[in-house]
Amino acid sequence: MPANTGNILRLAMAISARVIIIGPIPFTLDDKSLKRAGMDYLLEADYVYYSSYDEFLKHFGKEKIFYVTRFGKYTYSDIDYTNLSSDINLMFGKESTGIDKNILRANLDSTIRIPILSSARSLNLANSVAIVAYEVLRQNDYFSLAKQEQIRHHIID
């Protein structure tokens, strides 16, 4: 959905992360809803679009990926993200169907989940990205992110 993608791009800009969008997607990347959710952050967002999973694999190589899915073998907080020797890559699927089951079957040991009630199908995609991304950041002392106000320079009483 464009609004979810806009929210994810806004988050990615704020935490200095790259978003890889794998198509096909049912909207264009200049959609009004995407721009409304992403606000002016979209101008600075770092993202790449691949038209298919096969195209993504050709460019991405053999990088380690954690696949976030309701079928995850581990919870997202079980993983130690501090000892990884390369970039931390998280893959999320469509909110409606998730990540393709064939991709999951081929990568079972790298599947993670966000605990939810067994009766709940899923969480909002943008919320899921924020939950897992901030766990990675927390474990890594928030990399180079500001831990105190940098823009307004005043204290709220």
Side-chain angles (χ1 to χ4, degrees), residues 69-151:
T69 171
R70 68 178 293 124
F71 306 108
K73 188 172 182 178
Y74 309 98
T75 64
Y76 72 98
S77 56
D78 287 337
I79 306 301
D80 180 356
Y81 302 102
T82 63
N83 292 324
L84 301 175
S85 60
S86 63
D87 289 341
I88 299 166
N89 302 291
L90 307 167
M91 181 179 286
F92 297 82
K94 295 183 210 175
E95 196 167 302
S96 58
T97 59
I99 299 169
D100 183 275
K101 303 302 182 278
N102 292 322
I103 296 170
L104 295 176
R105 281 188 203 100
N107 298 283
L108 282 177
D109 286 337
S110 296
T111 58
I112 58 177
R113 68 176 280 119
I114 300 169
I116 58 175
L117 289 174
S118 59
S119 59
R121 284 190 318 274
S122 66
L123 297 174
N124 171 273
L125 180 60
N127 291 340
S128 297
V129 172
I131 289 167
V132 180
Y134 266 90
E135 174 63 13
V136 171
L137 292 167
R138 184 194 67 77
Q139 286 189 24
N140 287 282
D141 198 30
Y142 301 98
F143 295 108
S144 60
L145 301 182
K147 294 183 190 174
Q148 55 189 334
E149 176 58 41
Q150 300 294 310
I151 299 173

